[in-house]
């Protein structure tokens, strides 16, 4: 119990926890880098900077000396300024006499050793040796000061040229590195405070961002749980981030589709219950009539038995439709492929509707252009498609009771279409006409006993044949359902003229 409670409070796989770890880790890595750079590499960086600065100062003095037309007074003034500004000790020796022309110590060194001081005598001698053996006419030195072992210095030596371009003077520049240690100590104490403040800020920022990100996700999860229990009134709200907004919009669309599917399922149950109850009631009633009334009257008994047989067939067709659709959607149906003429198949089916012409006054017109239409497919399944489309048109045709059936060529395809002059289908219902539980809200002329599976079966059969199909409808004018199957080129002959079969 305690472990479960701990896991709920501290979910190590949650976004909040991962963000905490990420921010704290980033802060620690950044601070560690700063510590390394400031403490471990500061001496090296400072020494390199001092060397570059010393070389630059020498070049500046050289340029000033040349610009003053090699005036020694200007040289002394320039060296005094550079020494005071940069804490440098600078010595200049006249090569012709071997005497010191300039001995300029830094202010700090002058206070420590008043009077004439050769503080860097050993270092100067070492630099002078290196300079005399250098092919580049310059030398550098980095060592502990001979005056104080705790003081690190760097030295630079090179020649100043006269107006003839000859080496006239040797200049030696010394720079102390002592302030680095105290600077490191100051930085170390400051970095301790910076580290503490950075970790606190990282924790606060991680907490803020994690709550900002996880709050809408938790709300979406809660709404999804309610939706899973059948509550389709919940709203999915996003947050401040595009990804979460897209997730909320996707779930909102999914909620709408689930609500429609649930509604269609309920409609199916109601329709199937009605379609099952009606024939079952008829069967029971007529069976009771045979038992009680017409058992000894052959004409009446046969009539009652005929009704029972018709209602049984109706039940059988309904169950078969449901089973066939389920099998096709699970891709368990194997097509019995063969070559056949779509025109002949369509004509034979249209002929079966003559009973409607005679009994109810329907006009089913079949127009064929450019046959024959040899295709490769499952003829029985294509017959079922045509039958379902014609039945659908009869149910929803207009008061003129006219159904137009056309078969024509469309490039490499045979195009079959069924048109009615009914009330049409609303634009918002068009995307759903092929769905499994769909029934149009449009009123139909002829009483129907279907369960809303006919067009779904049409869709599944055409998908198995990889056919093209669609529906075009104008409210108040009617609808046209069509499909196209590829013609079998190897079996085609010359197209025949148009034929019209009008069954009035």
């Amino acid at each position: 119990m305690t472990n479960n409670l701990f896991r709920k409070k501290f979910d190590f796989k949650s976004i909040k926890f991962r963000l905490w770890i990420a921010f704290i880790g980033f802060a620690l890595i950044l601070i560690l880098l700063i510590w390394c750079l400031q403490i471990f590499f500061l001496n090296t960086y400072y020494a390199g900077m001092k060397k570059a600065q010393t070389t630059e100062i020498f070049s500046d003095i050289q340029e000033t000396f040349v610009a003053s037309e090699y005036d020694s007074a200007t040289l002394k003034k320039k060296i005094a300024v550079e020494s005071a500004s940069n804490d440098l000790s600078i010595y200049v020796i006249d090569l012709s006499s071997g005497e010191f022309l300039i001995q300029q110590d830094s202010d700090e060194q002058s206070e420590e050793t008043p009077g004439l001081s050769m503080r860097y005598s050993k270092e100067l001698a070492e630099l002078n040796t290196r300079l005399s053996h250098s092919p580049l006419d310059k030398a550098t030195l980095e060592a502990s000061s001979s005056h104080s072992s705790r003081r690190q210095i760097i030295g630079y030596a090179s020649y100043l040229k006269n107006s003839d371009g000859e080496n006239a003077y040797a200049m030696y520049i010394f720079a102390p590195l002592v302030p680095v240690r105290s600077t490191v100590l100051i930085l170390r104490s400051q970095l301790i405070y910076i580290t503490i403040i950075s970790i606190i800020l990282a924790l606060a920022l991680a907490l803020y961002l994690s709550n900002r990100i996880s709050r809408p996700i938790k709300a979406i999860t809660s709404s999804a749980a309610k939706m899973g229990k059948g509550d389709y009134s919940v709203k999915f709200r996003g947050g401040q981030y595009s990804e979460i907004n897209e997730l909320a919009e996707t779930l909102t669309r999914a909620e709408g589709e689930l609500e429609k599917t649930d509604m269609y399922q309920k409609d199916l149950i109601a329709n199937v219950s009605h379609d099952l109850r009606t024939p079952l009631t008829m069967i029971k009633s007529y069976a009771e009539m045979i038992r009680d009334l017409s058992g000894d009257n052959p004409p009446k008994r046969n009539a009652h038995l005929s009704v029972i047989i018709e209602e049984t067939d109706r039940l059988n067709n309904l169950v078969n439709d449901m089973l066939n659709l389920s099998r096709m959607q699970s891709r368990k149906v194997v097509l019995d492929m063969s070559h056949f003429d779509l025109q002949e198949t369509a004509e034979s089916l249209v002929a079966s509707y003559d009973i409607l012409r005679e009994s109810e006054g329907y006009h089913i017109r079949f127009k064929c252009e450019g046959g024959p239409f040899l295709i490769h497919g499952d003829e029985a399944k294509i017959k079922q498609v045509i039958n379902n489309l014609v039945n659908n048109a009869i149910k929803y045709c207009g008061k003129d009771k006219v159904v137009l059936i056309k078969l024509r060529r469309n490039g490499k395809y045979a195009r079959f279409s069924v048109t009615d002059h009914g009330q049409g289908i609303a634009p918002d219902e068009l995307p759903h006409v092929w769905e499994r539980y769909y029934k149009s809200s449009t009123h139909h002329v002829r009483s129907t006993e279907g369960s809303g599976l006919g067009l779904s079966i049409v869709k599944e059969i055409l998908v198995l044949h990889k056919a093209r199909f669609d529906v075009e409808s104008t409210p108040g004018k009617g609808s046209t359902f069509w499909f196209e199957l590829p013609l079998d080129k190897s079996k085609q002959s010359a197209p025949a003229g148009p034929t019209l079969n009008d069954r009035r």
Side-chain angles (χ1 to χ4, degrees), residues 333-379:
V333 173
V334 178
L335 296 178
D336 183 13
M337 305 296 284
S338 64
H339 297 281
F340 64 94
D341 189 343
L342 185 59
Q343 179 180 349
E344 294 178 0
T345 301
E347 287 177 343
S348 65
L349 281 174
V350 172
S352 66
Y353 288 93
D354 285 348
I355 186 66
L356 294 180
R357 173 180 61 83
E358 297 171 358
S359 61
E360 301 184 36
Y362 281 89
H363 305 284
I364 301 175
R365 300 173 182 174
F366 177 55
K367 184 178 182 181
C368 181
E369 300 176 356
F373 297 88
L374 297 177
I375 62 173
H376 186 242
D378 188 327
E379 185 174 6

Tab-separated table of all heavy atoms in Angstrom, residues 333-379:
chain	number	residue	atom	x	y	z
A	333	VAL	N	-13.028	-13.411	-46.814
A	333	VAL	CA	-13.721	-13.825	-48.028
A	333	VAL	C	-12.706	-14.006	-49.148
A	333	VAL	O	-11.853	-13.147	-49.376
A	333	VAL	CB	-14.780	-12.779	-48.435
A	333	VAL	CG1	-15.379	-13.127	-49.791
A	333	VAL	CG2	-15.870	-12.714	-47.373
A	334	VAL	N	-12.785	-15.114	-49.856
A	334	VAL	CA	-11.919	-15.373	-51.008
A	334	VAL	C	-12.766	-15.199	-52.260
A	334	VAL	O	-13.799	-15.848	-52.438
A	334	VAL	CB	-11.329	-16.803	-50.960
A	334	VAL	CG1	-10.479	-17.057	-52.198
A	334	VAL	CG2	-10.525	-16.987	-49.686
A	335	LEU	N	-12.352	-14.298	-53.127
A	335	LEU	CA	-13.118	-14.011	-54.346
A	335	LEU	C	-12.961	-15.155	-55.347
A	335	LEU	O	-11.865	-15.685	-55.547
A	335	LEU	CB	-12.643	-12.706	-54.973
A	335	LEU	CG	-12.852	-11.434	-54.141
A	335	LEU	CD1	-12.286	-10.231	-54.878
A	335	LEU	CD2	-14.318	-11.220	-53.814
A	336	ASP	N	-14.071	-15.490	-55.979
A	336	ASP	CA	-14.064	-16.501	-57.042
A	336	ASP	C	-13.930	-15.768	-58.377
A	336	ASP	O	-14.920	-15.445	-59.038
A	336	ASP	CB	-15.364	-17.317	-56.987
A	336	ASP	CG	-15.384	-18.438	-58.019
A	336	ASP	OD1	-14.307	-18.724	-58.599
A	336	ASP	OD2	-16.475	-18.999	-58.256
A	337	MET	N	-12.705	-15.489	-58.768
A	337	MET	CA	-12.436	-14.633	-59.929
A	337	MET	C	-12.666	-15.391	-61.235
A	337	MET	O	-12.285	-16.566	-61.372
A	337	MET	CB	-11.005	-14.107	-59.878
A	337	MET	CG	-10.661	-13.371	-58.590
A	337	MET	SD	-11.629	-11.852	-58.353
A	337	MET	CE	-10.791	-10.782	-59.526
A	338	SER	N	-13.273	-14.683	-62.170
A	338	SER	CA	-13.508	-15.247	-63.510
A	338	SER	C	-13.712	-14.097	-64.491
A	338	SER	O	-13.855	-12.932	-64.088
A	338	SER	CB	-14.739	-16.158	-63.496
A	338	SER	OG	-15.904	-15.401	-63.183
A	339	HIS	N	-13.730	-14.410	-65.790
A	339	HIS	CA	-14.005	-13.420	-66.824
A	339	HIS	C	-15.488	-13.468	-67.163
A	339	HIS	O	-16.043	-14.547	-67.426
A	339	HIS	CB	-13.175	-13.704	-68.081
A	339	HIS	CG	-11.685	-13.603	-67.837
A	339	HIS	ND1	-11.025	-12.415	-67.772
A	339	HIS	CD2	-10.747	-14.574	-67.627
A	339	HIS	CE1	-9.740	-12.622	-67.542
A	339	HIS	NE2	-9.551	-13.939	-67.446
A	340	PHE	N	-16.147	-12.309	-67.157
A	340	PHE	CA	-17.566	-12.283	-67.513
A	340	PHE	C	-17.915	-10.925	-68.101
A	340	PHE	O	-17.172	-9.947	-67.941
A	340	PHE	CB	-18.446	-12.588	-66.302
A	340	PHE	CG	-18.349	-11.566	-65.191
A	340	PHE	CD1	-19.249	-10.508	-65.112
A	340	PHE	CD2	-17.354	-11.661	-64.226
A	340	PHE	CE1	-19.165	-9.575	-64.101
A	340	PHE	CE2	-17.262	-10.729	-63.202
A	340	PHE	CZ	-18.172	-9.685	-63.136
A	341	ASP	N	-19.068	-10.886	-68.788
A	341	ASP	CA	-19.534	-9.660	-69.430
A	341	ASP	C	-20.451	-8.932	-68.455
A	341	ASP	O	-21.523	-9.428	-68.086
A	341	ASP	CB	-20.283	-9.989	-70.721
A	341	ASP	CG	-20.592	-8.735	-71.547
A	341	ASP	OD1	-20.516	-7.634	-70.961
A	341	ASP	OD2	-20.886	-8.875	-72.744
A	342	LEU	N	-20.024	-7.745	-68.035
A	342	LEU	CA	-20.799	-6.970	-67.069
A	342	LEU	C	-22.164	-6.575	-67.646
A	342	LEU	O	-23.155	-6.465	-66.909
A	342	LEU	CB	-20.013	-5.725	-66.642
A	342	LEU	CG	-20.626	-4.863	-65.545
A	342	LEU	CD1	-20.823	-5.665	-64.265
A	342	LEU	CD2	-19.747	-3.639	-65.261
A	343	GLN	N	-22.215	-6.392	-68.961
A	343	GLN	CA	-23.484	-6.028	-69.600
A	343	GLN	C	-24.517	-7.144	-69.440
A	343	GLN	O	-25.664	-6.895	-69.066
A	343	GLN	CB	-23.263	-5.707	-71.079
A	343	GLN	CG	-24.537	-5.339	-71.825
A	343	GLN	CD	-24.281	-5.029	-73.290
A	343	GLN	OE1	-23.134	-4.891	-73.708
A	343	GLN	NE2	-25.342	-4.909	-74.067
A	344	GLU	N	-24.105	-8.358	-69.716
A	344	GLU	CA	-25.031	-9.485	-69.593
A	344	GLU	C	-25.477	-9.671	-68.144
A	344	GLU	O	-26.655	-9.951	-67.872
A	344	GLU	CB	-24.364	-10.757	-70.105
A	344	GLU	CG	-24.054	-10.745	-71.604
A	344	GLU	CD	-23.349	-12.012	-72.046
A	344	GLU	OE1	-23.101	-12.887	-71.175
A	344	GLU	OE2	-23.038	-12.129	-73.242
A	345	THR	N	-24.546	-9.508	-67.225
A	345	THR	CA	-24.890	-9.645	-65.808
A	345	THR	C	-25.912	-8.594	-65.391
A	345	THR	O	-26.900	-8.898	-64.699
A	345	THR	CB	-23.622	-9.508	-64.945
A	345	THR	OG1	-22.680	-10.508	-65.326
A	345	THR	CG2	-23.939	-9.657	-63.465
A	346	ALA	N	-25.680	-7.353	-65.815
A	346	ALA	CA	-26.591	-6.273	-65.451
A	346	ALA	C	-27.970	-6.480	-66.069
A	346	ALA	O	-29.008	-6.258	-65.425
A	346	ALA	CB	-26.000	-4.934	-65.878
A	347	GLU	N	-28.006	-6.880	-67.351
A	347	GLU	CA	-29.295	-7.080	-68.033
A	347	GLU	C	-30.118	-8.174	-67.351
A	347	GLU	O	-31.339	-8.046	-67.194
A	347	GLU	CB	-29.062	-7.423	-69.507
A	347	GLU	CG	-28.608	-6.231	-70.342
A	347	GLU	CD	-28.324	-6.619	-71.781
A	347	GLU	OE1	-28.167	-7.830	-72.041
A	347	GLU	OE2	-28.226	-5.712	-72.641
A	348	SER	N	-29.469	-9.258	-66.939
A	348	SER	CA	-30.207	-10.339	-66.280
A	348	SER	C	-30.791	-9.891	-64.951
A	348	SER	O	-31.899	-10.284	-64.571
A	348	SER	CB	-29.293	-11.546	-66.084
A	348	SER	OG	-28.242	-11.226	-65.184
A	349	LEU	N	-30.057	-9.047	-64.234
A	349	LEU	CA	-30.566	-8.556	-62.954
A	349	LEU	C	-31.708	-7.567	-63.151
A	349	LEU	O	-32.703	-7.585	-62.417
A	349	LEU	CB	-29.443	-7.893	-62.156
A	349	LEU	CG	-28.474	-8.831	-61.435
A	349	LEU	CD1	-27.337	-8.042	-60.801
A	349	LEU	CD2	-29.198	-9.629	-60.366
A	350	VAL	N	-31.548	-6.682	-64.128
A	350	VAL	CA	-32.609	-5.702	-64.390
A	350	VAL	C	-33.914	-6.413	-64.760
A	350	VAL	O	-35.012	-5.989	-64.363
A	350	VAL	CB	-32.171	-4.728	-65.501
A	350	VAL	CG1	-33.336	-3.839	-65.924
A	350	VAL	CG2	-31.012	-3.865	-65.019
A	351	ALA	N	-33.807	-7.499	-65.498
A	351	ALA	CA	-35.001	-8.246	-65.899
A	351	ALA	C	-35.769	-8.777	-64.691
A	351	ALA	O	-36.994	-8.933	-64.734
A	351	ALA	CB	-34.604	-9.391	-66.818
A	352	SER	N	-35.058	-9.040	-63.595
A	352	SER	CA	-35.726	-9.590	-62.410
A	352	SER	C	-36.610	-8.582	-61.711
A	352	SER	O	-37.392	-8.946	-60.817
A	352	SER	CB	-34.675	-10.139	-61.438
A	352	SER	OG	-33.884	-9.087	-60.924
A	353	TYR	N	-36.492	-7.313	-62.098
A	353	TYR	CA	-37.307	-6.278	-61.464
A	353	TYR	C	-38.598	-6.006	-62.229
A	353	TYR	O	-39.300	-5.032	-61.929
A	353	TYR	CB	-36.496	-4.975	-61.331
A	353	TYR	CG	-35.421	-5.056	-60.265
A	353	TYR	CD1	-34.121	-5.437	-60.586
A	353	TYR	CD2	-35.692	-4.762	-58.932
A	353	TYR	CE1	-33.136	-5.519	-59.625
A	353	TYR	CE2	-34.726	-4.840	-57.962
A	353	TYR	CZ	-33.445	-5.223	-58.312
A	353	TYR	OH	-32.478	-5.305	-57.342
A	354	ASP	N	-38.921	-6.841	-63.223
A	354	ASP	CA	-40.164	-6.653	-63.974
A	354	ASP	C	-41.390	-6.731	-63.066
A	354	ASP	O	-42.419	-6.104	-63.333
A	354	ASP	CB	-40.273	-7.717	-65.071
A	354	ASP	CG	-39.345	-7.421	-66.243
A	354	ASP	OD1	-38.822	-6.284	-66.283
A	354	ASP	OD2	-39.136	-8.307	-67.090
A	355	ILE	N	-41.286	-7.490	-61.983
A	355	ILE	CA	-42.402	-7.635	-61.066
A	355	ILE	C	-42.808	-6.297	-60.460
A	355	ILE	O	-43.982	-6.025	-60.198
A	355	ILE	CB	-42.051	-8.659	-59.958
A	355	ILE	CG1	-43.267	-8.935	-59.082
A	355	ILE	CG2	-40.869	-8.154	-59.139
A	355	ILE	CD1	-44.384	-9.628	-59.795
A	356	LEU	N	-41.795	-5.417	-60.246
A	356	LEU	CA	-42.096	-4.102	-59.687
A	356	LEU	C	-42.792	-3.223	-60.708
A	356	LEU	O	-43.620	-2.368	-60.358
A	356	LEU	CB	-40.798	-3.424	-59.206
A	356	LEU	CG	-40.089	-4.092	-58.035
A	356	LEU	CD1	-38.820	-3.311	-57.670
A	356	LEU	CD2	-41.003	-4.185	-56.820
A	357	ARG	N	-42.442	-3.385	-61.978
A	357	ARG	CA	-43.114	-2.629	-63.032
A	357	ARG	C	-44.589	-3.015	-63.093
A	357	ARG	O	-45.465	-2.155	-63.208
A	357	ARG	CB	-42.433	-2.898	-64.377
A	357	ARG	CG	-43.162	-2.292	-65.579
A	357	ARG	CD	-42.417	-2.595	-66.871
A	357	ARG	NE	-42.306	-4.028	-67.115
A	357	ARG	CZ	-43.285	-4.763	-67.683
A	357	ARG	NH1	-44.425	-4.209	-68.036
A	357	ARG	NH2	-43.111	-6.055	-67.875
A	358	GLU	N	-44.841	-4.292	-62.985
A	358	GLU	CA	-46.215	-4.773	-63.125
A	358	GLU	C	-47.040	-4.496	-61.873
A	358	GLU	O	-48.228	-4.158	-61.957
A	358	GLU	CB	-46.202	-6.274	-63.407
A	358	GLU	CG	-45.515	-6.634	-64.725
A	358	GLU	CD	-45.318	-8.134	-64.883
A	358	GLU	OE1	-45.689	-8.861	-63.927
A	358	GLU	OE2	-44.788	-8.556	-65.918
A	359	SER	N	-46.420	-4.644	-60.699
A	359	SER	CA	-47.203	-4.539	-59.463
A	359	SER	C	-47.243	-3.134	-58.875
A	359	SER	O	-48.237	-2.742	-58.264
A	359	SER	CB	-46.660	-5.507	-58.410
A	359	SER	OG	-45.311	-5.183	-58.103
A	360	GLU	N	-46.147	-2.347	-59.027
A	360	GLU	CA	-46.080	-1.061	-58.341
A	360	GLU	C	-45.785	0.113	-59.269
A	360	GLU	O	-45.673	1.239	-58.812
A	360	GLU	CB	-45.031	-1.114	-57.222
A	360	GLU	CG	-45.330	-2.188	-56.185
A	360	GLU	CD	-44.347	-2.159	-55.028
A	360	GLU	OE1	-43.921	-1.041	-54.648
A	360	GLU	OE2	-44.007	-3.236	-54.503
A	361	GLY	N	-45.664	-0.138	-60.573
A	361	GLY	CA	-45.511	0.953	-61.527
A	361	GLY	C	-44.144	1.604	-61.575
A	361	GLY	O	-44.020	2.778	-61.941
A	362	TYR	N	-43.076	0.896	-61.213
A	362	TYR	CA	-41.720	1.453	-61.285
A	362	TYR	C	-41.207	1.419	-62.732
A	362	TYR	O	-41.581	0.547	-63.526
A	362	TYR	CB	-40.766	0.660	-60.385
A	362	TYR	CG	-40.895	1.030	-58.930
A	362	TYR	CD1	-41.800	0.375	-58.105
A	362	TYR	CD2	-40.124	2.044	-58.381
A	362	TYR	CE1	-41.939	0.714	-56.769
A	362	TYR	CE2	-40.239	2.388	-57.047
A	362	TYR	CZ	-41.141	1.724	-56.252
A	362	TYR	OH	-41.274	2.075	-54.924
A	363	HIS	N	-40.347	2.368	-63.082
A	363	HIS	CA	-39.730	2.441	-64.409
A	363	HIS	C	-38.214	2.293	-64.230
A	363	HIS	O	-37.548	3.228	-63.782
A	363	HIS	CB	-40.042	3.784	-65.080
A	363	HIS	CG	-41.510	4.079	-65.161
A	363	HIS	ND1	-42.342	3.489	-66.067
A	363	HIS	CD2	-42.298	4.903	-64.399
A	363	HIS	CE1	-43.576	3.934	-65.897
A	363	HIS	NE2	-43.569	4.797	-64.880
A	364	ILE	N	-37.699	1.148	-64.531
A	364	ILE	CA	-36.264	0.875	-64.368
A	364	ILE	C	-35.646	0.834	-65.762
A	364	ILE	O	-35.906	-0.077	-66.544
A	364	ILE	CB	-36.043	-0.453	-63.622
A	364	ILE	CG1	-36.719	-0.381	-62.245
A	364	ILE	CG2	-34.557	-0.739	-63.477
A	364	ILE	CD1	-36.684	-1.665	-61.473
A	365	ARG	N	-34.875	1.856	-66.084
A	365	ARG	CA	-34.306	2.016	-67.417
A	365	ARG	C	-32.823	1.657	-67.412
A	365	ARG	O	-32.065	2.204	-66.606
A	365	ARG	CB	-34.500	3.455	-67.903
A	365	ARG	CG	-35.961	3.867	-67.975
A	365	ARG	CD	-36.095	5.340	-68.299
A	365	ARG	NE	-37.516	5.730	-68.313
A	365	ARG	CZ	-37.934	6.986	-68.456
A	365	ARG	NH1	-37.052	7.970	-68.580
A	365	ARG	NH2	-39.230	7.250	-68.461
A	366	PHE	N	-32.462	0.809	-68.306
A	366	PHE	CA	-31.064	0.370	-68.417
A	366	PHE	C	-30.515	0.802	-69.767
A	366	PHE	O	-31.034	0.417	-70.814
A	366	PHE	CB	-30.975	-1.147	-68.255
A	366	PHE	CG	-29.569	-1.669	-68.433
A	366	PHE	CD1	-28.522	-1.177	-67.674
A	366	PHE	CD2	-29.291	-2.660	-69.372
A	366	PHE	CE1	-27.234	-1.652	-67.832
A	366	PHE	CE2	-28.009	-3.138	-69.539
A	366	PHE	CZ	-26.979	-2.637	-68.772
A	367	LYS	N	-29.454	1.608	-69.739
A	367	LYS	CA	-28.822	2.107	-70.967
A	367	LYS	C	-27.376	1.651	-70.996
A	367	LYS	O	-26.623	1.885	-70.040
A	367	LYS	CB	-28.908	3.630	-71.033
A	367	LYS	CG	-28.355	4.220	-72.330
A	367	LYS	CD	-28.509	5.738	-72.344
A	367	LYS	CE	-28.004	6.309	-73.659
A	367	LYS	NZ	-28.125	7.786	-73.699
A	368	CYS	N	-27.008	1.019	-72.101
A	368	CYS	CA	-25.646	0.492	-72.248
A	368	CYS	C	-25.000	1.111	-73.472
A	368	CYS	O	-25.581	1.131	-74.563
A	368	CYS	CB	-25.691	-1.029	-72.366
A	368	CYS	SG	-24.054	-1.787	-72.516
A	369	GLU	N	-23.784	1.646	-73.305
A	369	GLU	CA	-23.062	2.288	-74.409
A	369	GLU	C	-21.683	1.640	-74.568
A	369	GLU	O	-20.879	1.654	-73.643
A	369	GLU	CB	-22.888	3.786	-74.129
A	369	GLU	CG	-24.196	4.547	-73.970
A	369	GLU	CD	-23.960	6.002	-73.611
A	369	GLU	OE1	-22.777	6.383	-73.414
A	369	GLU	OE2	-24.946	6.757	-73.518
A	370	GLY	N	-21.445	1.086	-75.798
A	370	GLY	CA	-20.090	0.635	-76.127
A	370	GLY	C	-19.703	-0.716	-75.597
A	370	GLY	O	-18.516	-0.952	-75.340
A	371	GLY	N	-20.655	-1.658	-75.428
A	371	GLY	CA	-20.298	-2.997	-74.966
A	371	GLY	C	-19.556	-3.779	-76.042
A	371	GLY	O	-19.372	-3.291	-77.167
A	372	PRO	N	-19.099	-4.987	-75.778
A	372	PRO	CA	-19.231	-5.693	-74.489
A	372	PRO	C	-18.264	-5.162	-73.436
A	372	PRO	O	-17.296	-4.475	-73.761
A	372	PRO	CB	-18.895	-7.133	-74.860
A	372	PRO	CG	-17.935	-7.003	-75.994
A	372	PRO	CD	-18.398	-5.811	-76.789
A	373	PHE	N	-18.536	-5.529	-72.164
A	373	PHE	CA	-17.735	-5.045	-71.041
A	373	PHE	C	-17.183	-6.253	-70.284
A	373	PHE	O	-17.717	-6.647	-69.242
A	373	PHE	CB	-18.585	-4.173	-70.117
A	373	PHE	CG	-19.096	-2.931	-70.767
A	373	PHE	CD1	-20.307	-2.942	-71.458
A	373	PHE	CD2	-18.387	-1.752	-70.708
A	373	PHE	CE1	-20.786	-1.794	-72.062
A	373	PHE	CE2	-18.854	-0.596	-71.309
A	373	PHE	CZ	-20.061	-0.615	-72.001
A	374	LEU	N	-16.119	-6.831	-70.839
A	374	LEU	CA	-15.517	-8.006	-70.218
A	374	LEU	C	-14.590	-7.571	-69.089
A	374	LEU	O	-13.667	-6.772	-69.289
A	374	LEU	CB	-14.753	-8.816	-71.256
A	374	LEU	CG	-15.602	-9.401	-72.395
A	374	LEU	CD1	-14.713	-10.115	-73.394
A	374	LEU	CD2	-16.653	-10.349	-71.848
A	375	ILE	N	-14.851	-8.097	-67.909
A	375	ILE	CA	-14.035	-7.749	-66.747
A	375	ILE	C	-13.617	-9.025	-66.047
A	375	ILE	O	-14.148	-10.111	-66.294
A	375	ILE	CB	-14.798	-6.831	-65.767
A	375	ILE	CG1	-16.031	-7.537	-65.232
A	375	ILE	CG2	-15.164	-5.513	-66.427
A	375	ILE	CD1	-16.740	-6.778	-64.143
A	376	HIS	N	-12.669	-8.878	-65.139
A	376	HIS	CA	-12.170	-10.008	-64.359
A	376	HIS	C	-12.530	-9.767	-62.901
A	376	HIS	O	-12.027	-8.825	-62.267
A	376	HIS	CB	-10.651	-10.123	-64.525
A	376	HIS	CG	-10.074	-11.345	-63.877
A	376	HIS	ND1	-9.170	-11.277	-62.858
A	376	HIS	CD2	-10.299	-12.676	-64.096
A	376	HIS	CE1	-8.827	-12.494	-62.472
A	376	HIS	NE2	-9.502	-13.359	-63.214
A	377	GLY	N	-13.444	-10.598	-62.379
A	377	GLY	CA	-13.876	-10.412	-61.005
A	377	GLY	C	-14.738	-11.558	-60.540
A	377	GLY	O	-14.911	-12.564	-61.229
A	378	ASP	N	-15.298	-11.385	-59.361
A	378	ASP	CA	-16.217	-12.376	-58.795
A	378	ASP	C	-17.629	-11.995	-59.238
A	378	ASP	O	-18.218	-11.034	-58.716
A	378	ASP	CB	-16.101	-12.366	-57.265
A	378	ASP	CG	-16.885	-13.503	-56.622
A	378	ASP	OD1	-17.933	-13.880	-57.167
A	378	ASP	OD2	-16.446	-13.994	-55.571
A	379	GLU	N	-18.190	-12.733	-60.196
A	379	GLU	CA	-19.470	-12.350	-60.791
A	379	GLU	C	-20.582	-12.342	-59.753
A	379	GLU	O	-21.437	-11.442	-59.756
A	379	GLU	CB	-19.828	-13.306	-61.934
A	379	GLU	CG	-21.086	-12.896	-62.674
A	379	GLU	CD	-21.354	-13.769	-63.885
A	379	GLU	OE1	-20.633	-14.768	-64.083
A	379	GLU	OE2	-22.297	-13.437	-64.633
